Amino acid sequence: MDPAVSQSLPGPQSSISGPLVGEAGFLAGRPLNEWNAAYAKVENYFYALRIRNKTLLGQLVLRVLDRAMNRASNESDTTANQLAVEEMDRLVHEWFADVLQIPSESRDRTLSTKGRLALLLADMPGKWQDQFLRPGPWPEEFVSAMRESYLRAGPDFQLSKMTPRPFDLGPLTTLTNLGKMPYIRMVLIWSAVILLFVLVFKLTHQ
């Protein structure tokens, strides 16, 4: 590999040569189609973060899958897709914490969300795509931009929580509620409605 390309790749080079040894059609004890689905899942996530360099994108995905495969033999009840997603979340979460210098006791579930927002605000995809998930040290300009963008998200940033509200269906709701009334009351109400229509018809056709 060209040294310049190698230097642009994040972290230690991934190697999945070990898990390749096994039954035909399987990888790390799981069917190949499971790992294909996991690969696509992780790739789509990184692509959503606007990682467009194909070489870099492939290396990032393999790095995640390498971690997932290391767990696969000991966690037979967990799907390859779930292992990959968990390792992806863990890897990204830890990287955000390191870049942003967030103490372990202050790390919560909003860190990854605010970190992704900081990536876009700092224009990581346009300026520092090769720094994503790379271990430090990082360029000072990149670190400053990330931390400033993270703070811009605000200390009171929190995940929105939608509270389900009943739909107002207007007259349809009224009819539905009528259906819940006792049978006799229903008969009386509909009889009154019919009599009202008859009365209006007679008054208008005399």
Side-chain angles (χ1 to χ4, degrees), residues 135-155:
W138 305 275
E140 186 58 37
E141 185 181 2
F142 167 68
V143 174
S144 298
M146 280 290 294
R147 292 174 185 168
E148 180 182 346
S149 299
Y150 181 80
L151 292 175
R152 283 167 59 188

Side-chain angles (χ1 to χ4, degrees), residues 35 37-49 51 57 59-71 78-97 111-113 116 119 132-133:
W35 291 116
Y39 187 105
K41 185 87 170 181
V42 177
E43 183 181 51
N44 288 337
Y45 176 86
F46 289 144
Y47 196 82
L49 294 180
I51 305 298
L57 181 61
Q59 284 289 326
L60 291 172
V61 175
L62 289 178
R63 184 176 172 190
V64 171
L65 293 188
D66 190 28
R67 292 168 58 125
M69 289 177 186
N70 287 333
R71 292 174 50 190
T78 308
T79 66
N81 199 58
Q82 185 176 346
L83 288 171
V85 169
E86 289 177 0
E87 287 305 315
M88 176 184 66
D89 288 341
R90 184 177 292 109
L91 185 63
V92 172
H93 188 89
E94 291 172 353
W95 183 78
F96 280 140
L111 174 58
S112 292
T113 303
R116 291 194 296 269
L119 282 179
F132 184 57
L133 297 186

Side-chain angles (χ1 to χ4, degrees), residues 166-176:
F167 287 104
D168 183 5
L169 301 179
L172 188 58
T173 301
T174 302
L175 292 176
T176 302

